[in-house]
Amino acid sequence: MPEATVPDLTEILKDSPSNWGKWGPDDEVGSLNYLGAEQVLAAAQLIRTGKVFTLQRLIGDPKGDPVWPGRSPAERTQIMDEATWDTDDAPAFPGGLHYADDKINCFLQGSTQYDALGHVWFDGQIWNGYDCRTTVGGLDKASVEPIANKGVVGRAVLLDMARFRGKPNLDKAETYTHEDLQACAKAQGVTIEKRDIILIRTNFLKTFFDLGDKFYEGFCEPGLVYSPELVHWFQDMEIPNLVTDTIANEVTTDPNNGAALVLHNALMRNLGITLTEICDLENLAEDCAADGQYAFFYAAAPLKVAKGSGAPVNPIAVK
Ligand code: UVW
């Protein structure tokens, strides 16, 4: 679609629902307010075998780190190692201590991560109506810090869209709706309950490793596609957190209007739903297919980064 004909997000989302003010004028965690002690205790009942799955991708993967176009992969630099002590000016510690040190230069959204609620906006306002100027020089409002302080714990369901569609991975620009999510859940024999954390497997990032640089040609990830009905469903279901194995959680360019990341705005900016991206759901999905248990205990807390627009995370699923 030529850019000139792409409507503004203001126009696309003019009737889209909002949760601004629902948790007070100072709220910075949005729909995570749906997760309290009751949800944690109910989720704990799903722990049956003690199987643990970590859902983060490797940072500094020798095979490459998939990132949003324009971001660069993490760079790990070795600062100290045994070679440090090959030189005469090496630090000498009493007792002969040697050690390894390193650092990473990494986009906060450059690996598996939670987006802060203030990460995206349009029309001059971020989540809860805060002025977008509060993002200048770092997020004074709705940064990742309050999410990190709260933590995310509850019942999660895995919706394996790739397996549901009978393919190893979803294709570039392939879309699905909330109705497809429900059909997938039904086929898997699991019910999506109110306040569930929703995990969606596409295995699309397999193509990053298969295609190399060609992965970014005509970049358009598969994912959920905006409709008013979908946004109402997420609101009515009180979904606190949407977790996917793609870089940006939704179809990159909406095929119906040509706009980019419409759901980032409809779900995150307007409803306060936290987005978690670039997860590795492969081991978990394999296990769910084997034992048929698609609902489980989920816990995650991004790193506490002051004013951060997001932060890396290693979520954990326990069955
Ligand atoms: C953008 O918002 C551009 O990307 P992401 O949500 O993947 O960090």
PDB file of all heavy atoms in Angstrom, residues 134-157:
ATOM      1  N   THR A 134       7.345  13.152  28.311  1.00  0.00           N
ATOM      2  CA  THR A 134       7.942  12.493  29.487  1.00  0.00           C
ATOM      3  C   THR A 134       8.919  11.392  29.070  1.00  0.00           C
ATOM      4  O   THR A 134       9.602  10.828  29.915  1.00  0.00           O
ATOM      5  CB  THR A 134       6.859  11.875  30.402  1.00  0.00           C
ATOM      6  OG1 THR A 134       6.085  10.936  29.621  1.00  0.00           O
ATOM      7  CG2 THR A 134       5.935  12.920  30.997  1.00  0.00           C
ATOM      8  N   THR A 135       8.974  11.103  27.746  1.00  0.00           N
ATOM      9  CA  THR A 135       9.935  10.085  27.282  1.00  0.00           C
ATOM     10  C   THR A 135      11.297  10.702  26.952  1.00  0.00           C
ATOM     11  O   THR A 135      12.258   9.974  26.723  1.00  0.00           O
ATOM     12  CB  THR A 135       9.424   9.380  26.000  1.00  0.00           C
ATOM     13  OG1 THR A 135       9.368  10.344  24.934  1.00  0.00           O
ATOM     14  CG2 THR A 135       8.055   8.755  26.192  1.00  0.00           C
ATOM     15  N   VAL A 136      11.357  12.032  26.879  1.00  0.00           N
ATOM     16  CA  VAL A 136      12.586  12.678  26.399  1.00  0.00           C
ATOM     17  C   VAL A 136      13.740  12.456  27.397  1.00  0.00           C
ATOM     18  O   VAL A 136      13.619  12.778  28.579  1.00  0.00           O
ATOM     19  CB  VAL A 136      12.352  14.188  26.139  1.00  0.00           C
ATOM     20  CG1 VAL A 136      13.663  14.878  25.752  1.00  0.00           C
ATOM     21  CG2 VAL A 136      11.306  14.383  25.039  1.00  0.00           C
ATOM     22  N   GLY A 137      14.817  11.844  26.887  1.00  0.00           N
ATOM     23  CA  GLY A 137      15.989  11.583  27.724  1.00  0.00           C
ATOM     24  C   GLY A 137      15.818  10.371  28.630  1.00  0.00           C
ATOM     25  O   GLY A 137      16.652  10.131  29.509  1.00  0.00           O
ATOM     26  N   GLY A 138      14.746   9.629  28.443  1.00  0.00           N
ATOM     27  CA  GLY A 138      14.476   8.477  29.314  1.00  0.00           C
ATOM     28  C   GLY A 138      13.042   8.566  29.799  1.00  0.00           C
ATOM     29  O   GLY A 138      12.508   9.673  29.965  1.00  0.00           O
ATOM     30  N   LEU A 139      12.417   7.429  30.039  1.00  0.00           N
ATOM     31  CA  LEU A 139      10.985   7.433  30.382  1.00  0.00           C
ATOM     32  C   LEU A 139      10.776   7.814  31.855  1.00  0.00           C
ATOM     33  O   LEU A 139      11.112   7.063  32.760  1.00  0.00           O
ATOM     34  CB  LEU A 139      10.378   6.036  30.111  1.00  0.00           C
ATOM     35  CG  LEU A 139       9.818   5.813  28.704  1.00  0.00           C
ATOM     36  CD1 LEU A 139      10.846   6.080  27.620  1.00  0.00           C
ATOM     37  CD2 LEU A 139       9.244   4.410  28.568  1.00  0.00           C
ATOM     38  N   ASP A 140      10.211   9.022  32.068  1.00  0.00           N
ATOM     39  CA  ASP A 140       9.866   9.426  33.441  1.00  0.00           C
ATOM     40  C   ASP A 140       8.585   8.741  33.891  1.00  0.00           C
ATOM     41  O   ASP A 140       8.309   8.645  35.093  1.00  0.00           O
ATOM     42  CB  ASP A 140       9.652  10.944  33.510  1.00  0.00           C
ATOM     43  CG  ASP A 140      10.956  11.705  33.358  1.00  0.00           C
ATOM     44  OD1 ASP A 140      12.002  11.134  33.727  1.00  0.00           O
ATOM     45  OD2 ASP A 140      10.927  12.834  32.846  1.00  0.00           O
ATOM     46  N   LYS A 141       7.772   8.327  32.927  1.00  0.00           N
ATOM     47  CA  LYS A 141       6.491   7.671  33.228  1.00  0.00           C
ATOM     48  C   LYS A 141       6.428   6.365  32.446  1.00  0.00           C
ATOM     49  O   LYS A 141       6.889   6.293  31.300  1.00  0.00           O
ATOM     50  CB  LYS A 141       5.320   8.558  32.771  1.00  0.00           C
ATOM     51  CG  LYS A 141       5.165   9.823  33.577  1.00  0.00           C
ATOM     52  CD  LYS A 141       4.584   9.483  34.924  1.00  0.00           C
ATOM     53  CE  LYS A 141       4.305  10.725  35.747  1.00  0.00           C
ATOM     54  NZ  LYS A 141       3.943  10.381  37.121  1.00  0.00           N
ATOM     55  N   ALA A 142       5.808   5.359  33.079  1.00  0.00           N
ATOM     56  CA  ALA A 142       5.564   4.070  32.396  1.00  0.00           C
ATOM     57  C   ALA A 142       6.830   3.484  31.786  1.00  0.00           C
ATOM     58  O   ALA A 142       6.827   2.987  30.659  1.00  0.00           O
ATOM     59  CB  ALA A 142       4.462   4.223  31.351  1.00  0.00           C
ATOM     60  N   SER A 143       7.935   3.559  32.537  1.00  0.00           N
ATOM     61  CA  SER A 143       9.169   2.892  32.108  1.00  0.00           C
ATOM     62  C   SER A 143       9.054   1.415  32.489  1.00  0.00           C
ATOM     63  O   SER A 143       8.030   0.971  33.034  1.00  0.00           O
ATOM     64  CB  SER A 143      10.383   3.521  32.798  1.00  0.00           C
ATOM     65  OG  SER A 143      10.480   3.042  34.124  1.00  0.00           O
ATOM     66  N   VAL A 144      10.110   0.682  32.237  1.00  0.00           N
ATOM     67  CA  VAL A 144      10.085  -0.753  32.555  1.00  0.00           C
ATOM     68  C   VAL A 144      10.254  -1.001  34.064  1.00  0.00           C
ATOM     69  O   VAL A 144       9.944  -2.077  34.564  1.00  0.00           O
ATOM     70  CB  VAL A 144      11.178  -1.492  31.740  1.00  0.00           C
ATOM     71  CG1 VAL A 144      12.563  -1.299  32.339  1.00  0.00           C
ATOM     72  CG2 VAL A 144      10.843  -2.973  31.582  1.00  0.00           C
ATOM     73  N   GLU A 145      10.702   0.028  34.761  1.00  0.00           N
ATOM     74  CA  GLU A 145      11.023  -0.162  36.183  1.00  0.00           C
ATOM     75  C   GLU A 145       9.819  -0.632  37.025  1.00  0.00           C
ATOM     76  O   GLU A 145       9.950  -1.596  37.779  1.00  0.00           O
ATOM     77  CB  GLU A 145      11.609   1.145  36.724  1.00  0.00           C
ATOM     78  CG  GLU A 145      12.399   0.966  37.992  1.00  0.00           C
ATOM     79  CD  GLU A 145      12.855   2.309  38.574  1.00  0.00           C
ATOM     80  OE1 GLU A 145      13.092   3.261  37.800  1.00  0.00           O
ATOM     81  OE2 GLU A 145      12.953   2.391  39.792  1.00  0.00           O
ATOM     82  N   PRO A 146       8.647   0.006  36.899  1.00  0.00           N
ATOM     83  CA  PRO A 146       7.506  -0.478  37.701  1.00  0.00           C
ATOM     84  C   PRO A 146       7.094  -1.914  37.357  1.00  0.00           C
ATOM     85  O   PRO A 146       6.673  -2.660  38.234  1.00  0.00           O
ATOM     86  CB  PRO A 146       6.381   0.506  37.353  1.00  0.00           C
ATOM     87  CG  PRO A 146       7.041   1.692  36.757  1.00  0.00           C
ATOM     88  CD  PRO A 146       8.303   1.224  36.134  1.00  0.00           C
ATOM     89  N   ILE A 147       7.236  -2.292  36.085  1.00  0.00           N
ATOM     90  CA  ILE A 147       6.924  -3.674  35.693  1.00  0.00           C
ATOM     91  C   ILE A 147       7.928  -4.619  36.354  1.00  0.00           C
ATOM     92  O   ILE A 147       7.571  -5.677  36.879  1.00  0.00           O
ATOM     93  CB  ILE A 147       6.979  -3.823  34.148  1.00  0.00           C
ATOM     94  CG1 ILE A 147       5.887  -2.988  33.498  1.00  0.00           C
ATOM     95  CG2 ILE A 147       6.876  -5.286  33.729  1.00  0.00           C
ATOM     96  CD1 ILE A 147       5.943  -2.955  31.968  1.00  0.00           C
ATOM     97  N   ALA A 148       9.189  -4.212  36.339  1.00  0.00           N
ATOM     98  CA  ALA A 148      10.237  -5.034  36.947  1.00  0.00           C
ATOM     99  C   ALA A 148      10.026  -5.155  38.454  1.00  0.00           C
ATOM    100  O   ALA A 148      10.265  -6.217  39.044  1.00  0.00           O
ATOM    101  CB  ALA A 148      11.607  -4.426  36.646  1.00  0.00           C
ATOM    102  N   ASN A 149       9.578  -4.081  39.069  1.00  0.00           N
ATOM    103  CA  ASN A 149       9.341  -4.127  40.519  1.00  0.00           C
ATOM    104  C   ASN A 149       8.168  -5.039  40.855  1.00  0.00           C
ATOM    105  O   ASN A 149       8.203  -5.754  41.852  1.00  0.00           O
ATOM    106  CB  ASN A 149       9.056  -2.724  41.064  1.00  0.00           C
ATOM    107  CG  ASN A 149      10.329  -1.903  41.157  1.00  0.00           C
ATOM    108  OD1 ASN A 149      11.412  -2.446  41.365  1.00  0.00           O
ATOM    109  ND2 ASN A 149      10.220  -0.605  40.983  1.00  0.00           N
ATOM    110  N   LYS A 150       7.152  -5.016  40.026  1.00  0.00           N
ATOM    111  CA  LYS A 150       5.950  -5.835  40.304  1.00  0.00           C
ATOM    112  C   LYS A 150       6.191  -7.309  40.009  1.00  0.00           C
ATOM    113  O   LYS A 150       5.811  -8.187  40.765  1.00  0.00           O
ATOM    114  CB  LYS A 150       4.753  -5.305  39.487  1.00  0.00           C
ATOM    115  CG  LYS A 150       3.485  -6.137  39.686  1.00  0.00           C
ATOM    116  CD  LYS A 150       2.268  -5.468  39.102  1.00  0.00           C
ATOM    117  CE  LYS A 150       1.057  -6.400  39.034  1.00  0.00           C
ATOM    118  NZ  LYS A 150       0.717  -7.076  40.292  1.00  0.00           N
ATOM    119  N   GLY A 151       6.836  -7.610  38.877  1.00  0.00           N
ATOM    120  CA  GLY A 151       6.964  -8.998  38.430  1.00  0.00           C
ATOM    121  C   GLY A 151       5.666  -9.463  37.785  1.00  0.00           C
ATOM    122  O   GLY A 151       4.605  -8.872  37.990  1.00  0.00           O
ATOM    123  N   VAL A 152       5.783 -10.510  36.993  1.00  0.00           N
ATOM    124  CA  VAL A 152       4.628 -11.026  36.252  1.00  0.00           C
ATOM    125  C   VAL A 152       4.497 -12.506  36.581  1.00  0.00           C
ATOM    126  O   VAL A 152       5.331 -13.316  36.177  1.00  0.00           O
ATOM    127  CB  VAL A 152       4.826 -10.840  34.727  1.00  0.00           C
ATOM    128  CG1 VAL A 152       3.589 -11.296  33.974  1.00  0.00           C
ATOM    129  CG2 VAL A 152       5.168  -9.392  34.387  1.00  0.00           C
ATOM    130  N   VAL A 153       3.453 -12.856  37.328  1.00  0.00           N
ATOM    131  CA  VAL A 153       3.263 -14.259  37.720  1.00  0.00           C
ATOM    132  C   VAL A 153       1.792 -14.603  37.561  1.00  0.00           C
ATOM    133  O   VAL A 153       0.914 -13.860  38.032  1.00  0.00           O
ATOM    134  CB  VAL A 153       3.700 -14.500  39.183  1.00  0.00           C
ATOM    135  CG1 VAL A 153       3.506 -15.973  39.565  1.00  0.00           C
ATOM    136  CG2 VAL A 153       5.151 -14.092  39.397  1.00  0.00           C
ATOM    137  N   GLY A 154       1.524 -15.710  36.894  1.00  0.00           N
ATOM    138  CA  GLY A 154       0.128 -16.118  36.733  1.00  0.00           C
ATOM    139  C   GLY A 154      -0.002 -17.371  35.893  1.00  0.00           C
ATOM    140  O   GLY A 154       0.992 -18.034  35.572  1.00  0.00           O
ATOM    141  N   ARG A 155      -1.263 -17.668  35.546  1.00  0.00           N
ATOM    142  CA  ARG A 155      -1.550 -18.812  34.671  1.00  0.00           C
ATOM    143  C   ARG A 155      -1.283 -18.385  33.234  1.00  0.00           C
ATOM    144  O   ARG A 155      -1.751 -17.317  32.802  1.00  0.00           O
ATOM    145  CB  ARG A 155      -3.019 -19.222  34.816  1.00  0.00           C
ATOM    146  CG  ARG A 155      -3.468 -20.381  33.931  1.00  0.00           C
ATOM    147  CD  ARG A 155      -4.985 -20.562  34.045  1.00  0.00           C
ATOM    148  NE  ARG A 155      -5.473 -21.818  33.506  1.00  0.00           N
ATOM    149  CZ  ARG A 155      -5.952 -21.997  32.279  1.00  0.00           C
ATOM    150  NH1 ARG A 155      -5.985 -20.977  31.433  1.00  0.00           N
ATOM    151  NH2 ARG A 155      -6.407 -23.173  31.896  1.00  0.00           N
ATOM    152  N   ALA A 156      -0.550 -19.218  32.509  1.00  0.00           N
ATOM    153  CA  ALA A 156      -0.299 -18.919  31.099  1.00  0.00           C
ATOM    154  C   ALA A 156      -0.797 -20.065  30.242  1.00  0.00           C
ATOM    155  O   ALA A 156      -0.821 -21.221  30.680  1.00  0.00           O
ATOM    156  CB  ALA A 156       1.188 -18.702  30.869  1.00  0.00           C
ATOM    157  N   VAL A 157      -1.200 -19.731  29.018  1.00  0.00           N
ATOM    158  CA  VAL A 157      -1.517 -20.773  28.044  1.00  0.00           C
ATOM    159  C   VAL A 157      -0.634 -20.580  26.817  1.00  0.00           C
ATOM    160  O   VAL A 157      -0.398 -19.444  26.387  1.00  0.00           O
ATOM    161  CB  VAL A 157      -2.998 -20.748  27.587  1.00  0.00           C
ATOM    162  CG1 VAL A 157      -3.923 -21.239  28.678  1.00  0.00           C
ATOM    163  CG2 VAL A 157      -3.424 -19.390  27.086  1.00  0.00           C
TER     164      VAL A 157
END
